[in-house]
Amino acid sequence: MESIGVLMMCPMNSYLENELQKRYNLHRFWTCPEKSVFLETHRNSIRAIVGNASAGADAKLIDDLPKLEIISSFSVLTEDVADLAIGLILALLRRLCECDRYVRSGKWKYGDFKLTTKFSGKSVGIIGLGRIGAAIAKRAQGFNCPINYYSRTEKPDVGYKYYPTVVELAQNSDILVVACALTDETRHIVNREVMDALGAKGVLINIGRGPHVDEKEMVKALTEGRLGGAGLDVFEQEPHVPEELFGLENVVLVPHVASATVETRTAMADLVLGNLEAHFAGKPLLTQVV
Amino acid sequence: MDFASSSLFTADFAYENELDLSSLITPSTFIPFQEPNPSIPTIHCAGAENDGRQRIRETTTTDEITNEDVEPKNKKAKRREIGRQRRQEVTSLFKNLRYILPSQYIKGKRSSSDHVQEAVNYIKDLEKKIKEISEKRDRIKRSISHSSSTGECSIRSLESSYCSCDGYTHIDVKVRTCLVGIEIVASCCFRQESCVSSILQLLIQEQCLDVVSCISSRLHPRFIHTIVCERQCTQSTVPSKSMAEESPLVLVHRPPTMKYMDEPLTRYYRILTTHTSSDPLPVFLSRHASSVRAVVSIGRFKIDADFLSRLPSLQLIVCTSVGTDHVDLPECNRRGIAVTNAGGAYSEDVADYAVGLLISFLRRIPAADRYVRSGKWARCGEFQLGIKLSGKRIGILGLGSIGSLIAKRLEPFGCIISYNSTRQKQSIPYLYYPDVVSLAANNDVIVLCCALNDQTRHIVNREVMEALGKKGIIINVGRGGLIDEKEMVKCLVEGVIGGAGLDAFEKEPGVPVELFGLDNVVLSPHCAIATPGSFDNVVELALANLKAFFSNQPLISPVRLN
């Protein structure tokens, strides 16, 4: 059987990539220097696209590929990312990492740990109320947190308070969560002004992308005490993390684990592979959207 | 002269001390005494109004004059000398007198006779004042030690009781005020059988007194009976200064570091703390706390039968913790002592913390944080994968206020909640399991948030942990004693269970050292409640319970004692 051309839109999961490589003729769209030339060359062999939330197949691309039969979307589990956001908030406010270190070092014998900050009832401001933002809001409501949000347009009927600018959102929230997609407009959406508005009692949670936050400014704000704390899953130059953060007790740093659960990695990748296999074998798809 | 304005003069002070004249007077500004004109003979100073003494002097002088004939010149000089000396003496005496007398007595007075008269007046005034004030003092003393206005206390009639033993006759009764009313201490011969009953009979007749306690100890060969009576009517018949207005005494049983209740309590109560005395605790209690009706218990100090036996007036124990396993509840029940706990004051913080421990465990947040800070992310690559939370089956042991808040928080995460509790209610929407083993067998996570008592000690044992299984997780925000800790450590090390998030241990702050090297535990130093808000809540609740108790209202957060 001639090898089936599969176009992968962006890097998303190495396990998936390897499996696609093994089974199909994989084209990595992000490595192509001349996209139009590439499309001309391969337009008749590409029969499937594997994309995700930030890099999908738009109308033009679909038109350019006359042999396109199936588009399979690899999405990180929304729940896992939202779970991690709440986990970072709790670990940060209640100093869970510090507590664990405190006990393991044997210091508890000499005295109790200090008081930490309550989470229940704190106001949560979410930048971007997409699937992930909405999932975070739903979880935070279980803790009696009032929810505020910013997005490009106000969403009717959500029941949360809308703010037209990120600065205003930061002024009116105790916890600011970055949950939007990374685009040219949202680069450094959390800048110095936003962080000053969030203030010495406010905390920042970034489960979006590193470039969402002006990292140099954030490090300064944290070390100078102008920003109360941060829970960070992503950084501008991963896996390099600014070393000034290593000595701070008001940060929680995790190595891009938002989608790093066993279930996300294997199960979702398997779902994509399963769908493609089913399709090309003429069998019914595992999941179907359209 | 106004005695009352002098701060030195109090009723008791005057009566109980020798009357000291010098402390009563205010020295006047010194107005110099007019020196008598030396040309005027001495005789003229002692006027007709003088008393006999002056006259005698005069006589002496006259006698000396008649002897003058023998040696006229020398005698004259001598006489003048004596006269001068006498004048000087008298002058200085009157100066002193003038100095001592308050100004209103010496105003306008110049002659010595006037001064002497004024001195007499002054002494008479003082005597009158002293009499007035001692009468006043006696009135006050009587009114304090007798709560009825019927003059003499009828208890004194016991003094005439006959006792046949020699040397130790009579019942000696002392009545004094104490914190709730009056304390009667009667000491009698050990053969005197009717002493206590006589006193108690008299007290029953006194309708506004309730006997609170009666303790008898033998001090060979006498008995000492201490009877504490409480003033029954709030409308006191005691004039003005009444002890009923004094705020109640509350005993605070706490470690030296946990001071947060002291200031709030002192706003409404007088407090006595157990750790400030150098006496051993039993001695301290017997000596100081016999009339204490309420104890505030902070920290994990035991309140056992011995402690309770030394507080005969105790009716309420206010605990600032939710757990009451440090209090002998059956003994309290027996003695009719009510116990309150922290109710729901901490529930939100503990529920938050339980969820935090669970997510931190599943997503390995503390380990991931360590991984980044050590620089390993850049060097060694991807961190190990975590475990998804949504869809997990969570079994809650103890669906009280904390358990229900935990369930509420985990529902939006897509978790499936079930529970085991002493109370199964139809209104609870979660699945009920009748015992811990079946709860563990059918869940991925068990969260412990029930009370520690005889039924729940080591409720999580080997059997439960084996039922939970090698992917199972224990989250403990209750008491360390809920888990058989030695078995748990073995199960964690051997992989019988998947892991644990632990905020409590059996012998805090001691933690089994085997846990320190494990990756599949998250450890925490019993700080699930430790936010400022929690402490504010528990202070408010403790004060509310005390207020309810002292005003005979229902308690806010009582604990079931059986």
Side-chain angles (χ1 to χ4, degrees):
Chain A
M1 164 163 83
E2 66 180 66
S3 63
I4 299 167
V6 172
L7 180 66
M8 193 168 184
M9 299 303 295
C10 68
M12 50 194 79
N13 181 311
S14 42
Y15 163 74
L16 178 62
E17 214 175 296
N18 294 333
E19 288 297 310
L20 287 172
Q21 177 84 32
K22 274 189 256 176
R23 299 172 196 205
Y24 307 103
N25 186 9
L26 180 65
H27 303 279
R28 295 173 177 74
F29 200 51
W30 68 92
T31 60
C32 305
E34 284 284 324
K35 297 211 165 37
S36 41
V37 170
F38 163 81
L39 286 173
E40 270 301 315
T41 328
H42 296 276
R43 59 203 300 268
N44 288 320
S45 66
I46 291 177
R47 294 170 61 189
I49 290 180
V50 174
N52 68 7
S54 52
D58 55 18
K60 184 174 178 305
L61 188 63
I62 294 168
D63 285 338
D64 286 340
L65 300 169
K67 296 283 189 208
L68 184 63
E69 295 167 28
I70 175 172
I71 301 169
S72 189
S73 196
F74 175 85
S75 52
V76 297
L77 280 184
T78 310
E79 293 98 354
D80 281 347
V81 181
D83 294 350
L84 184 74
I86 303 292
L88 283 175
I89 295 173
L90 282 165
L92 179 61
L93 289 179
R94 301 302 300 271
R95 298 286 190 266
L96 281 161
C97 303
E98 283 287 316
C99 283
D100 186 72
R101 266 195 285 270
Y102 192 75
V103 177
R104 283 178 206 255
S105 67
K107 286 195 193 141
W108 193 15
K109 286 211 162 65
Y110 304 110
D112 278 332
F113 195 68
K114 60 190 173 187
L115 295 184
T116 54
T117 311
K118 190 181 176 110
F119 173 36
S120 275
K122 292 278 185 300
S123 52
V124 176
I126 306 177
I127 303 178
L129 206 65
R131 283 177 305 131
I132 294 176
I136 295 173
K138 194 171 101 178
R139 283 154 174 73
Q141 280 193 309
F143 294 83
N144 296 327
C145 296
I147 310 290
N148 310 320
Y149 72 101
Y150 160 83
S151 66
R152 278 168 303 176
T153 53
E154 187 172 356
K155 292 182 199 299
D157 304 329
V158 290
Y160 309 138
K161 185 140 175 47
Y162 172 74
Y163 285 95
T165 64
V166 184
V167 173
E168 278 176 72
L169 181 68
Q171 271 167 352
N172 292 287
S173 307
D174 301 309
I175 303 166
L176 187 66
V177 183
V178 183
C180 56
L182 183 62
T183 64
D184 288 329
E185 289 133 9
T186 59
R187 191 173 184 284
H188 281 202
I189 195 172
V190 178
N191 54 18
R192 175 160 181 143
E193 201 190 344
V194 170
M195 287 187 262
D196 283 344
L198 195 51
K201 291 214 171 122
V203 301
L204 173 69
I205 305 290
N206 190 1
I207 40 95
R209 287 278 178 274
H212 275 128
V213 174
D214 184 345
E215 201 163 277
K216 269 197 7 220
E217 272 307 321
M218 179 189 66
V219 172
K220 267 205 268 168
L222 285 167
T223 49
E224 290 167 19
R226 287 182 287 115
L227 181 59
L232 307 168
D233 183 45
V234 288
F235 305 86
E236 287 198 273
Q237 309 285 337
E238 292 171 23
H240 298 285
V241 176
E243 287 186 9
E244 296 92 320
L245 298 177
F246 291 172
L248 298 179
E249 64 111 42
N250 58 341
V251 296
V252 176
L253 309 167
V254 291
H256 205 151
V257 294
S259 54
T261 63
V262 173
E263 289 86 347
T264 297
R265 291 296 165 84
T266 55
M268 288 313 289
D270 286 343
L271 197 59
V272 167
L273 295 166
N275 271 334
L276 289 176
E277 194 180 308
H279 171 80
F280 292 122
K283 296 211 192 90
L285 293 178
L286 302 176
T287 61
Q288 186 146 19
V289 176
V290 174
Chain B
M1 179 171 50
D2 184 12
F3 273 87
S5 63
S6 165
S7 59
L8 285 176
F9 193 82
T10 60
D12 279 335
F13 179 87
Y15 190 85
E16 279 151 17
N17 297 284
E18 299 283 325
L19 187 63
D20 186 0
L21 190 68
S22 63
S23 64
L24 296 174
I25 55 174
T26 47
S28 56
T29 22
F30 182 67
I31 301 166
F33 183 77
Q34 208 169 40
E35 287 277 345
N37 195 327
S39 62
I40 303 167
T42 321
I43 288 171
H44 194 70
C45 295
E49 318 88 271
N50 288 339
D51 63 16
R53 246 180 274 141
Q54 286 287 346
R55 213 155 284 252
I56 288 166
R57 277 223 180 107
E58 210 175 340
T59 316
T60 318
T61 315
T62 319
D63 282 343
E64 276 182 286
I65 291 168
T66 50
N67 289 335
E68 217 182 276
D69 296 328
V70 182
E71 285 170 292
K73 237 191 193 163
N74 280 342
K75 285 275 167 73
K76 245 196 187 141
K78 221 186 189 179
R79 199 172 63 228
R80 265 203 287 277
E81 186 52 46
I82 291 168
R84 191 167 35 248
Q85 276 175 13
R86 286 219 180 97
R87 279 200 298 279
Q88 276 175 355
E89 272 171 36
V90 169
T91 307
S92 77
L93 276 173
F94 277 110
K95 273 186 195 170
N96 287 338
L97 182 62
R98 212 179 149 85
Y99 191 70
I100 285 172
L101 287 174
S103 46
Q104 61 260 45
Y105 286 82
I106 58 172
K107 228 176 186 176
K109 307 283 189 292
R110 288 282 186 242
S111 72
S112 50
S113 55
D114 287 340
H115 281 85
V116 173
Q117 183 59 54
E118 286 308 310
V120 171
N121 291 340
Y122 181 46
I123 290 168
K124 284 192 180 147
D125 283 341
L126 283 176
E127 281 177 341
K128 203 160 73 182
K129 278 284 178 187
I130 287 163
K131 189 158 177 240
E132 268 175 41
I133 280 164
S134 40
E135 275 170 20
K136 195 173 171 189
R137 175 206 163 271
D138 283 336
R139 265 205 314 278
I140 289 168
K141 260 206 164 169
R142 265 201 306 278
S143 71
I144 282 170
S145 54
H146 300 76
S147 53
S148 69
S149 49
T150 58
E152 278 285 300
C153 173
S154 50
I155 289 168
R156 297 229 178 265
S157 64
L158 287 172
E159 281 189 50
S160 56
S161 293
Y162 171 73
C163 175
S164 58
C165 56
D166 49 355
Y168 291 92
T169 52
H170 304 303
I171 297 171
D172 177 37
V173 180
K174 279 191 175 50
V175 181
R176 49 179 181 241
T177 51
C178 73
L179 311 146
V180 294
I182 62 167
E183 185 183 68
I184 302 166
V185 181
S187 126
C188 65
C189 170
F190 75 96
R191 290 198 198 90
Q192 178 58 263
E193 285 163 7
S194 57
C195 174
V196 174
S197 55
S198 312
I199 296 176
L200 290 175
Q201 270 180 338
L202 281 167
L203 287 171
I204 289 168
Q205 287 165 22
E206 291 285 328
Q207 286 183 340
C208 62
L209 282 175
D210 275 344
V211 175
V212 173
S213 70
C214 175
I215 302 172
S216 302
S217 4
R218 180 157 172 177
L219 218 63
H220 174 79
R222 295 179 70 74
F223 270 117
I224 302 194
H225 307 287
T226 307
I227 300 166
V228 174
C229 303
E230 187 179 53
R231 202 182 311 276
Q232 194 186 65
C233 39
T234 47
Q235 279 282 326
S236 173
T237 52
V238 175
S240 60
K241 299 185 191 134
S242 113
M243 291 299 179
E245 286 162 16
E246 205 168 49
S247 43
L249 183 71
V250 171
L251 181 71
V252 180
H253 191 38
R254 64 165 177 84
T257 49
M258 299 174 104
K259 306 180 201 161
Y260 62 93
M261 283 295 302
D262 286 9
E263 191 275 320
L265 283 171
T266 50
R267 290 184 225 145
Y268 307 96
Y269 308 103
R270 289 172 299 128
I271 66 170
L272 198 59
T273 47
T274 51
H275 67 277
T276 43
S277 164
S278 51
D279 290 336
L281 183 63
V283 175
F284 175 83
L285 292 176
S286 301
R287 197 178 284 178
H288 295 282
S290 58
S291 58
V292 161
R293 294 173 65 203
V295 164
V296 174
S297 162
I298 307 176
R300 298 164 218 134
F301 282 4
K302 264 192 160 5
I303 293 187
D304 55 15
D306 185 62
F307 185 100
L308 296 171
S309 68
R310 297 181 192 277
L311 294 171
S313 313
L314 187 62
Q315 292 169 283
L316 174 70
I317 300 174
V318 173
C319 295
T320 56
S321 54
V322 174
T324 45
D325 49 285
H326 60 289
V327 178
D328 189 339
L329 295 179
E331 186 68 19
C332 290
N333 195 20
R334 226 176 45 78
R335 289 174 177 264
I337 299 172
V339 179
T340 65
N341 69 352
Y346 302 136
S347 301
E348 277 190 332
D349 281 324
V350 179
D352 289 356
Y353 205 75
V355 175
L357 277 177
L358 180 57
I359 305 180
S360 294
F361 174 83
L362 289 173
R363 302 300 293 270
R364 309 194 194 287
I365 295 178
D369 183 78
R370 281 197 293 272
Y371 192 77
V372 174
R373 285 182 204 246
S374 64
K376 287 201 181 121
W377 190 19
R379 290 197 306 271
C380 313
E382 255 188 31
F383 185 62
Q384 67 170 149
L385 294 176
I387 302 166
K388 188 156 97 99
L389 172 59
S390 41
K392 286 284 178 292
R393 300 164 301 164
I394 317 276
I396 299 181
L397 186 61
L399 203 66
S401 66
I402 296 175
S404 359
L405 289 181
I406 294 176
K408 179 167 162 257
R409 277 147 177 69
L410 286 173
E411 277 189 281
F413 288 83
C415 294
I416 301 158
I417 315 284
S418 54
Y419 74 105
N420 169 259
S421 189
T422 50
R423 285 170 272 237
Q424 182 192 10
K425 282 195 230 151
Q426 292 303 322
S427 54
I428 296 176
Y430 314 123
L431 186 59
Y432 174 81
Y433 284 99
D435 58 81
V436 191
V437 175
S438 56
L439 186 75
N442 291 287
N443 282 292
D444 305 303
V445 180
I446 52 170
V447 182
L448 309 181
C449 41
C450 57
L452 178 63
N453 51 40
D454 290 329
Q455 290 85 45
T456 59
R457 186 166 301 274
H458 284 197
I459 196 171
V460 176
N461 53 19
R462 176 100 195 184
E463 192 194 351
V464 169
M465 288 189 266
E466 282 177 354
L468 190 58
K470 58 185 174 64
K471 284 199 175 160
I473 300 157
I474 302 174
I475 302 289
N476 189 5
V477 288
R479 286 276 179 272
L482 293 170
I483 307 179
D484 181 346
E485 200 164 274
K486 264 188 23 206
E487 270 309 316
M488 179 189 66
V489 173
K490 272 203 253 164
C491 289
L492 283 166
V493 169
E494 294 164 12
V496 174
I497 56 171
L502 306 168
D503 186 46
F505 304 86
E506 286 203 84
K507 292 196 169 58
E508 293 167 13
V511 175
V513 290
E514 299 91 320
L515 298 179
F516 291 170
L518 293 180
D519 273 338
N520 58 341
V521 290
V522 174
L523 304 171
S524 159
H526 205 150
C527 53
I529 62 160
T531 66
S534 271
F535 287 103
D536 291 340
N537 285 349
V538 81
V539 167
E540 207 180 296
L541 183 60
L543 290 177
N545 274 308
L546 284 167
K547 184 173 175 189
F549 170 71
F550 283 113
S551 55
N552 294 316
Q553 302 290 321
L555 297 171
I556 317 292
S557 56
V559 169
R560 225 180 50 189
L561 298 176
N562 42 20

